Amino acid sequence: MKSDRPNEPPLPEPLGYLLTWRTHGSWLPGDQRGWVRKAGGNQAPDEQRHRAAARAMNAEEVRLNSQQRIIAEQAIRDHCQFRNWQLFAVNCRSNHVHAVVSADLHPKEVLRQLKAWATRRLNEADSPQDAWWAEKGSIRYLNSEAALEGGIVYVRDAQDRK
């Protein structure tokens, strides 16, 4: 893997990825919790931007019920098994999903495929929607055993903490 850090030693190949994606409309730009701008980092809440983003939505905000969460998690498990990817942990919440996966593809493609398969299974089991998920997601490289274990524990055990 080519390094984006030419003056630093290369990182080891990742042992896995912590992938996170949100449901459609559940965290818009300007949100009161803050938000992230691509290439701009963390941003402060901005009520005007939030209202504009809400007006621009092409579908209602999605909140997954318990059955939909089970369907999405099983779709992720099934797809990882089909692709021979190692799924270390998955946790589907009402407004976001976390998965720790090791795969032989770029993590953006892994994220895209997991979202697509979860969408397919949700549409088969429920009333089809154009948008179950937000457009993008978060990718964290887990480059050490400690990072991998930390990602697994976070996904498995830390989701109900406030």
Side-chain angles (χ1 to χ4, degrees):
M1 184 177 296
K2 185 179 178 233
S3 175
D4 294 334
R5 306 167 328 137
N7 297 323
E8 297 180 34
L11 291 171
E13 284 297 314
L15 301 176
Y17 310 112
L18 170 57
L19 306 175
T20 303
W21 63 97
R22 302 199 63 81
T23 57
H24 178 75
S26 63
W27 200 317
L28 299 174
D31 190 278
Q32 67 183 1
R33 298 165 286 190
W35 57 289
V36 177
R37 175 182 288 160
K38 185 176 181 178
N42 293 332
Q43 304 293 309
D46 181 337
E47 182 60 34
Q48 187 173 357
R49 183 178 297 272
H50 188 264
R51 282 195 305 270
R55 283 192 304 271
M57 283 181 48
N58 58 359
E60 293 294 315
E61 177 182 349
V62 172
R63 293 284 175 165
L64 301 175
N65 63 37
S66 59
Q67 185 61 31
Q68 291 166 330
R69 290 168 58 186
I70 290 167
I71 291 166
E73 278 191 15
Q74 190 59 51
I76 291 165
R77 284 187 188 94
D78 292 346
H79 191 67
C80 287
Q81 183 176 9
F82 175 77
R83 290 286 188 186
N84 292 317
W85 297 342
Q86 186 166 2
L87 179 64
F88 295 98
V90 61
N91 195 328
C92 184
R93 313 304 298 166
S94 63
N95 65 355
H96 68 284
V97 178
H98 293 294
V100 177
V101 180
S102 177
D104 56 356
L105 289 177
H106 192 282
K108 284 184 182 179
E109 179 60 16
V110 175
L111 177 64
R112 186 196 68 75
Q113 287 190 28
L114 294 179
K115 288 168 67 175
W117 277 87
T119 295
R120 178 177 290 174
R121 296 295 178 245
L122 285 164
N123 282 340
E124 289 171 354
D126 213 308
S127 51
Q129 296 190 46
D130 291 332
W132 287 95
W133 313 113
E135 186 177 318
K136 298 183 181 172
S138 168
I139 297 167
R140 302 229 175 167
Y141 288 75
L142 305 174
N143 294 310
S144 68
E145 290 289 340
L148 181 64
E149 183 60 30
I152 293 167
V153 168
Y154 174 73
V155 169
R156 188 186 62 214
D157 300 334
Q159 295 308 299
D160 290 325
R161 296 182 193 162
K162 292 289 180 192

